[in-house]
Amino acid sequence: MKKNICMYGIAAVSLIGIVTAAVSEKRFRKKIKREISDIKMFQSVENDFLNRHSKIVAEELEEIRDEIGTVYEHFEEIENIRNYGR
């Protein structure tokens, strides 16, 4: 009789351990899913930020190129005037 009670006790403790481990694993998986979701959300926000700023930088670079082109054209005109006068 004592042997049966002891076996049932061991089985009950083992079952409690298994259930506890399963619950802990489920909580852990939920936590991991939340972390992944947070990372994806952060990456999305970061990508939006980078896209907006890269467009702004590209527009500013284009303006600078246009200004350089205009300065170069004026420089050529000045050179032509100098050469024409000789």
Side-chain angles (χ1 to χ4, degrees), residues 17-28:
I18 291 170
V19 169
T20 302
V23 168
S24 295
E25 181 182 355
K26 188 173 183 180
R27 287 181 185 158
F28 180 73

Side-chain angles (χ1 to χ4, degrees), residues 4-43:
N4 286 340
I5 293 174
C6 185
M7 288 177 62
Y8 288 130
I10 292 171
V13 169
S14 296
L15 183 60
I16 290 170
I18 291 170
V19 169
T20 302
V23 168
S24 295
E25 181 182 355
K26 188 173 183 180
R27 287 181 185 158
F28 180 73
R29 286 179 186 258
K30 281 184 179 179
K31 184 177 180 180
I32 294 295
K33 284 180 182 179
R34 268 188 260 126
E35 292 291 328
I36 290 171
S37 176
D38 289 348
I39 289 170
K40 286 180 180 178
M41 185 175 59
F42 176 76
Q43 286 175 336

Side-chain angles (χ1 to χ4, degrees), residues 37-86:
S37 176
D38 289 348
I39 289 170
K40 286 180 180 178
M41 185 175 59
F42 176 76
Q43 286 175 336
S44 175
V45 169
E46 184 181 39
N47 285 339
D48 290 345
F49 175 81
L50 291 174
N51 286 338
R52 269 188 270 122
H53 285 280
S54 65
K55 287 178 185 176
I56 291 169
V57 169
E59 290 170 359
E60 289 177 0
L61 281 174
E62 189 62 33
E63 289 175 12
I64 291 170
R65 285 186 187 117
D66 291 345
E67 289 176 14
I68 290 172
T70 303
V71 169
Y72 185 74
E73 288 172 7
H74 289 301
F75 178 74
E76 283 182 334
E77 289 174 8
I78 292 169
E79 283 296 311
N80 289 336
I81 292 170
R82 279 188 191 166
N83 290 336
Y84 184 74
R86 290 183 184 176

